[in-house]
């Protein structure tokens, strides 16, 4: 069922009404626009007919919008429910050119998400279908290794139910001699040395809700809890590719030229046959000190369904979206993954780019993410008592650039105090920090971190605002009241 | 000869006078303080006796100050002439505890810099002994590859005169089987494939003069011209170490733990036996896509004396100080280079750290440097005519993080315009940019760049101020007048 707010907007925007100022079309007239004289893309929603020809290339879900071309968007929206949102509906309304003669049944009648795993209610639900859950930031400093049931979840599709006895990981593509090479889960566990590694994963959209202080951005409204740290256990991806016959020496020069990508596909799919996918430039693996994994353990337990059971790719230091969960296919290719989450979403544009002028091809996929820090122990506007308080938080930088320093300012940047780093591990793991502060009156608190490349965070969100609300890493600024 | 300003300060601070409020000591009393009851470090300068015991560990030149312990600093200052500076003299004056009974001859009478090579007078002399010369920033956009005679020079010591027929590069240390392995210059040129690579070098102190807008920092007052781009030609350092018998596979795990360093020593030495040196963690070389060189060519010519003739280490993406010139010794070691330019200078501290509270051991050496950008075509305060002007500049980020975007703002950051990138090459080479701007009134222009890790520059110099004035990468902000 659609919630009341959405139903109200549908009524307000007159999607459910015949508009007398517009012509009326039947289903055949609508579907025949594609390939017709004007080669237009028309879709319907309730009684509305919309010409979305010019919007197709700006669709954040990419070419998948063409599945609905010539008919109703509802079957797709009933699955990709993020479309039932004010800004999306308002955008659609702009393209209305007519009325649909015979309305279709628009009632959501399918539940694609009826096999989701149980979840800890402490995790804050940001979206339920697909499930995106955020760790309450205040809980993050309690553990250096985030407990599995508290670890943030960013799913893009329903969680697949995997029969491990039938599960195979197939590996194909450039440099793989066999066309039918595959491994069972036991193969992955038994044929390769198990490597345990502490690695922090962070969603590319962590802290997005703060971007809204400048100007709202679509996407999940994470605060600072779309990040977690765990000890992951699994096989070295390099070892697995070697076992599939990949000869690294032969490809050194090709990698240098950044010509090969390693594509991953998950078992999480939509009802229309598309599955989650992502890719990473294969030259990242030529650094012998960098060890991506195929993990089956998370904090010494079997990896939970929400985190990719039975097998997840794990790329330390890259945004979470590249660590494909429920991975079933690996393809070495001269192309990036065709997935819209690789080619369209998870891209960053200049502050001047918006929904109306975006060109997704003009930007590269994000892999790395910049230095970031966050105050977990206190919220903006929180009321505290006078006296000593203990502030805690985290800092993290991408691609193994460790944190050299975290600084707090209580006077809007005039002075910066270096805080105590309570725990650091490898450079792929976050840094936790804390400080005792004597509160005598209401105060502003700013935090920033410095990484081993001496990158500093930008001060002001306004200057890094981007249309998709990604890698939000301006100073975290909060106000404490008394 | 000391210049008039220094002579005046020496007089003003009464270094040349007996101070009647202080006791008088003879040479034996002064030299016997070390190892004496109090184990004090006393030095003299003209008629002054100074107890510098507490200053030794804060000396930016490190333990070398102990060469002067118990006697006059003048023989050392006559060589390391950066000491004849107001702030240094004022610091020394604070430590005065007495008068020297029989004054020494303090007249500078040695010229250690009489064999310097000829230089293009267009290069701006920032210090003459040692020579530090800056390319006028306005000339940088004229060439993608900076001409050798215009390329910035940052020497730390006199330029050595090298007899190439006698020259040997010795390679020793952990993992090198022979204790007397060495190569001639012809060996380096003939035994290894010549690799040509475009690489930008940037001094760690580039743009330091702007830091002075917040608070002055000691060091060479570079504007934005301590950077240049060249095609370098030479042997792969990895190949050279392999030829010396180094077995990479044996050391993979050691490297991962960052336990080995590759030290370099130059032929540029002081009269007291100390030479320039630096080191780099050897694990950087485990990335097969990263190729440090030993270069003997710069822009297809023999490398000039000011840039390291006959052989220079070249570490793409690291601050210039790590690319040791006139390299004669390579040592693989569990220790960093003992050089003060490795262990003391070229370190970055929080804005709250200054000369009085610095602890050099608390910070790591800089290798990488953050994203930076600069407006070369116009100076701050420049007067231009109304109408179209063409602005040009560069952007660069360390460790091969290429530039994805350069943006200009003409309204103090409210809006950002993406500028045209006129040329990019490898990610180790700078990016040049330009834009046509219609000037209708006096205007502020800000530039910032974004690298492939989506690091952005910090907006405000105040927040990144550091005592040594290093990696100055805040937005470059200029005002154009009409």
């Amino acid at each position: 069922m659609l919630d009341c707010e959405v139903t109200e907007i549908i009524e307000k925007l007159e999607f459910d009404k015949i508009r007398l100022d517009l012509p009326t079309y039947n289903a055949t007239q609508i579907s025949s626009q594609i390939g017709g004289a004007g080669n237009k893309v028309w879709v319907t929603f309730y009684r509305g007919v919309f010409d979305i020809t010019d919007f197709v290339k700006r669709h954040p879900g990419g070419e998948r919008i063409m599945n609905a071309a010539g008919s109703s968007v509802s079957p797709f929206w009933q699955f990709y429910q993020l479309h039932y949102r004010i800004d999306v509906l308002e955008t659609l309304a702009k393209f209305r050119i007519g009325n649909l003669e015979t309305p279709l049944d628009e009632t959501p009648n399918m539940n694609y998400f009826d096999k989701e795993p149980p979840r800890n209610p402490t995790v804050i639900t940001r979206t339920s279908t697909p499930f995106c859950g955020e760790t309450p930031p205040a809980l993050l400093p309690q553990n250096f290794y985030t407990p599995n049931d508290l670890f943030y979840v960013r799913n893009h599709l329903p969680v697949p139910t995997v029969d491990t006895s039938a599960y195979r990981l197939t590996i194909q593509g450039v440099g793989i001699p066999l066309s039918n090479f595959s491994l069972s889960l036991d193969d992955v566990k038994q044929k390769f040395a198990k490597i345990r590694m502490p690695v922090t994963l962070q969603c590319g959209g962590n802290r997005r809700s703060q971007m809204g202080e400048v100007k709202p951005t679509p996407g999940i409204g994470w605060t600072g809890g779309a990040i977690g740290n765990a000890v992951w256990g699994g096989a070295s991806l390099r070892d697995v590719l070697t076992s599939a016959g990949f000869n690294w020496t032969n490809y050194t020069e090709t990698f240098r030229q950044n010509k090969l990508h390693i594509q991953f596909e998950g078992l999480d799919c939509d009802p229309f046959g598309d599955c989650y996918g992502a890719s990473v430039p294969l030259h990242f693996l030529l650094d012998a000190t960098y060890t991506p994994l195929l993990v089956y353990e998370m904090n010494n337990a079997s990896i939970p369904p929400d985190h990719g059971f039975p097998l997840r790719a794990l790329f330390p230091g890259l945004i979470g979206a590249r660590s494909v969960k429920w991975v079933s296919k690996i393809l070495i290719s001269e192309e990036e993954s065709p997935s819209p989450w690789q080619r369209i979403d998870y891209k960053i544009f200049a502050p001047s780019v918006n929904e109306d002028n975006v060109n997704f091809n003009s930007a590269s996929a994000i892999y790395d993410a910049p230095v970031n820090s966050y105050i977990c122990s206190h919220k903006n506007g929180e009321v505290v008592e006078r006296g000593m308080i203990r502030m805690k938080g985290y800092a993290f930088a991408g691609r193994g650039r460790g944190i050299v320093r975290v600084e707090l300012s209580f006077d809007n940047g005039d002075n910066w105090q270096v805080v105590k780093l309570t725990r650091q591990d490898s450079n792929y793991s976050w840094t936790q920090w804390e400080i005792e502060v004597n509160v005598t009156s209401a105060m502003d608190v700013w935090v920033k971190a410095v990484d081993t490349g001496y990158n500093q965070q930008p001060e002001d969100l306004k200057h890094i605002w981007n249309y998709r609300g990604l890698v939000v890493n301006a100073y975290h600024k909060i106000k404490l009241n008394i």
Side-chain angles (χ1 to χ4, degrees), chain A:
Chain A
M1 293 295 294
L2 298 178
D3 67 41
C4 289
E5 201 183 10
V6 173
T7 308
E8 278 172 20
I9 293 156
I10 286 171
E11 285 172 19
K12 182 182 154 212
L13 294 173
E14 302 188 342
F15 288 126
D16 57 343
K17 295 180 189 69
I18 292 283
R19 266 177 55 185
L20 296 176
D21 57 324
L22 295 175
T24 294
Y25 302 97
N26 65 33
T28 309
Q29 288 172 303
I30 292 163
S31 65
S32 62
Q33 294 296 323
I34 299 171
N39 200 19
K40 296 287 186 185
V41 182
W42 288 10
V43 295
T44 71
F45 183 60
Y46 289 80
R47 298 308 291 264
V49 176
F50 309 87
D51 180 350
I52 60 162
T53 314
D54 293 336
F55 177 73
V56 171
K57 63 176 182 296
R58 291 184 279 122
H59 179 227
E63 290 281 327
R64 291 188 182 183
I65 202 173
M66 294 302 289
N67 287 332
S71 62
S72 170
V73 296
S74 289
F76 305 94
W77 287 20
Q78 284 161 14
F79 183 79
Y80 290 108
Q81 297 181 11
L82 81 173
H83 293 90
Y84 294 117
R85 219 172 49 200
I86 300 177
D87 59 324
V88 175
L89 293 168
E90 286 179 344
T91 298
L92 181 66
K94 288 186 216 162
F95 300 119
R96 185 152 177 182
I97 53 157
N99 305 304
L100 175 61
E101 191 173 53
T102 312
L104 302 166
D105 181 6
E106 302 273 349
T107 318
N109 57 3
M110 291 172 280
N111 193 345
Y112 300 106
F113 292 89
D114 56 1
K115 291 185 183 128
E116 297 286 289
R119 287 159 180 140
N120 183 338
T122 307
V123 172
I124 304 158
T125 300
R126 294 287 174 211
T127 66
S128 52
T129 53
F131 183 72
C132 292
E134 176 169 358
T135 316
L139 300 185
L140 288 174
Q142 291 183 0
N143 305 282
F144 188 71
Y145 297 112
T146 317
N148 289 356
D149 68 336
L150 286 178
F151 207 101
Y152 87 95
V153 175
R154 199 310 179 208
N155 293 341
H156 296 84
L157 293 156
V159 175
T161 306
V162 181
D163 171 4
T164 53
S165 65
Y167 171 86
R168 306 293 297 183
L169 172 68
T170 65
I171 304 177
Q172 297 178 316
V174 179
I176 306 294
L178 293 174
S179 62
N180 62 348
F181 186 90
S182 74
L183 296 168
S184 71
L185 186 61
D186 280 346
D187 288 340
V188 175
K189 289 182 176 179
Q190 290 161 14
K191 288 190 176 171
F192 305 96
K194 187 200 284 185
I195 296 173
R196 282 201 179 84
M197 203 187 301
V199 169
T200 291
L201 282 184
Q202 181 180 215
C203 178
N206 191 30
R207 300 184 58 197
R208 180 183 287 121
S209 65
Q210 288 170 265
M211 206 68 123
E213 295 165 16
V214 179
K215 196 162 54 169
T217 60
I220 296 157
W222 304 111
T223 67
I227 187 171
N229 188 43
V231 177
W232 307 83
S236 157
L237 176 61
R238 196 184 286 107
D239 291 352
V240 171
L241 293 182
T242 303
S243 84
F246 193 79
N247 185 327
W248 296 87
T249 322
N250 288 356
Y251 285 86
T252 308
E253 196 46 45
T254 319
F255 295 161
R256 272 208 193 102
Q257 295 167 22
N258 194 6
K259 292 279 172 62
L260 286 181
H261 300 266
I262 177 164
Q263 299 185 8
F264 298 85
E265 191 177 292
L267 291 166
D268 47 334
C269 303
D270 70 19
F272 320 105
D274 288 316
C275 304
Y276 187 78
S279 60
V280 170
L282 195 53
H283 78 253
F284 286 16
L285 276 74
L286 272 200
D287 181 351
T289 65
Y290 184 61
T291 308
L293 300 178
L294 293 169
V295 296
Y296 43 82
E297 280 186 7
M298 182 177 179
N299 288 325
N300 300 312
S302 174
I303 190 167
D306 259 335
H307 297 287
F309 177 86
L311 201 65
R312 176 178 198 171
L314 186 85
F315 282 94
L318 306 192
I319 61 164
R322 305 296 163 230
S323 289
V324 175
K325 301 194 259 195
W326 313 290
V327 62
S328 69
K329 288 185 195 160
I330 292 176
L331 178 70
I332 299 181
S333 168
E334 292 177 7
E335 303 280 336
E336 283 186 287
S337 165
S339 153
W341 291 287
Q342 180 73 28
R343 299 218 178 170
I344 293 167
D345 205 351
Y346 295 115
K347 290 191 173 184
I348 296 179
F349 302 91
S352 53
V353 173
N354 56 41
E355 188 191 52
D356 298 325
N357 62 8
V358 67
N359 172 3
F360 287 108
N361 291 329
S362 69
S364 303
I366 313 171
Y367 300 106
D368 195 355
V371 58
N372 210 342
S373 61
Y374 199 79
I375 300 164
C376 294
S377 53
H378 295 78
K379 285 183 181 161
N380 186 27
E382 187 165 330
V383 175
V384 298
E385 301 205 353
R386 279 194 177 78
M388 296 305 288
I389 61 167
R390 189 181 296 267
M391 303 193 77
K392 296 184 180 190
Y394 63 77
F396 183 63
R399 292 229 70 188
R401 291 187 298 275
I403 298 296
V404 299
R405 202 167 63 237
V406 177
E407 301 168 19
L408 254 64
S409 176
F410 307 103
D411 54 10
N412 299 310
D414 284 342
N415 292 283
W416 289 95
Q417 190 170 340
V418 177
V419 306
K420 182 183 164 198
L421 306 183
T422 49
R423 188 157 172 194
Q424 293 190 295
D425 204 325
S426 85
N427 281 349
Y428 290 105
S429 226
W430 62 12
T431 292
Q432 291 184 325
W433 56 264
E434 65 175 56
I435 187 172
E436 295 256 3
V437 182
N438 189 15
V439 181
T440 57
S441 60
M443 59 199 268
D444 290 304
V445 187
W446 292 7
V447 65
K448 71 177 169 89
V450 182
D451 74 15
T452 54
Y454 295 92
N455 294 291
Q456 301 243 5
Q457 296 176 235
E459 175 186 334
D460 197 333
L461 277 167
K462 182 172 75 175
H463 301 170
I464 64 162
W465 187 90
N466 63 85
Y467 154 60
R468 303 295 296 162
L470 292 164
V471 299
V472 181
N473 79 324
Y475 298 173
H476 186 205
K477 302 176 179 180
I478 66 169
K479 193 176 200 62
L480 295 180
N481 295 316
I482 302 226

